[in-house]
């Protein structure tokens, strides 16, 4: 190893040793509404909160019904698209591919 490589290694070690974590957060990466990772940390965020406070949404019967109809409609739509694509594949295979 020449002297230049030794100097580089020494600078890297020195820069790592000089670093001291003071605990402040520069950019908070917590996104509201996103689930927490399965790795638990001691502190919730830089303010020392231990638990996330969630907003409770109360829906009346009409809104609840509208949500349920929207969910069912989306599943039906995805099912139709999937089975429609499968039907087109089978039709193409029968009419063009296997002849």
């Amino acid at each position: 190893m020449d002297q230049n490589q030794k100097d580089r290694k020494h600078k890297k070690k020195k820069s790592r040793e000089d670093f001291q974590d003071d605990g402040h957060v520069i950019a908070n990466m917590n996104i509201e509404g996103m689930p927490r990772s399965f790795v638990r940390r001691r502190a919730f965020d830089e303010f020392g909160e231990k638990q996330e406070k969630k907003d409770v949404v109360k829906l009346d019967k009409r809104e609840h019904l509208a949500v349920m109809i929207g969910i069912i409609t989306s599943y039906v739509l995805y099912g139709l698209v999937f089975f429609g694509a499968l039907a087109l594949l089978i039709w193409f295979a029968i009419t063009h591919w296997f002849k």
Side-chain angles (χ1 to χ4, degrees):
M1 233 191 267
D2 62 348
Q3 185 64 26
N4 193 16
Q5 288 177 343
K6 288 181 182 179
D7 289 339
R8 281 190 219 148
K9 284 188 176 183
H10 181 68
K11 285 181 182 179
K12 285 183 183 179
K13 281 186 178 180
K14 187 175 181 182
S15 66
R16 287 183 196 152
E17 291 170 0
D18 292 343
F19 176 75
Q20 290 185 1
D21 188 13
D22 60 357
H24 77 279
V25 175
I26 296 173
N28 187 359
M29 297 295 168
N30 294 339
I31 301 171
E32 290 195 30
M34 292 290 291
R36 301 291 298 170
S37 67
F38 63 90
V39 178
R40 295 287 178 205
R41 299 181 193 160
R42 278 186 280 146
F44 174 71
D45 62 4
E46 71 273 11
F47 300 113
E49 297 177 12
K50 298 294 181 190
Q51 294 180 358
E52 183 177 8
K53 295 178 181 120
K54 297 181 179 180
D55 295 332
V56 178
V57 178
K58 298 288 184 183
L59 300 176
D60 60 0
K61 288 183 180 183
R62 189 173 186 178
E63 291 171 335
H64 185 72
L65 182 64
V67 168
M68 293 304 291
I69 289 173
I71 291 170
I72 291 169
T73 305
S74 68
Y75 278 117
V76 168
L77 182 64
Y78 281 121
L80 286 174
V81 168
F82 177 76
F83 288 116
L86 185 64
L88 283 175
L89 178 69
I90 291 171
W91 173 77
F92 178 75
I94 290 171
T95 58
H96 299 291
W97 198 354
F98 295 140
K99 284 195 174 191

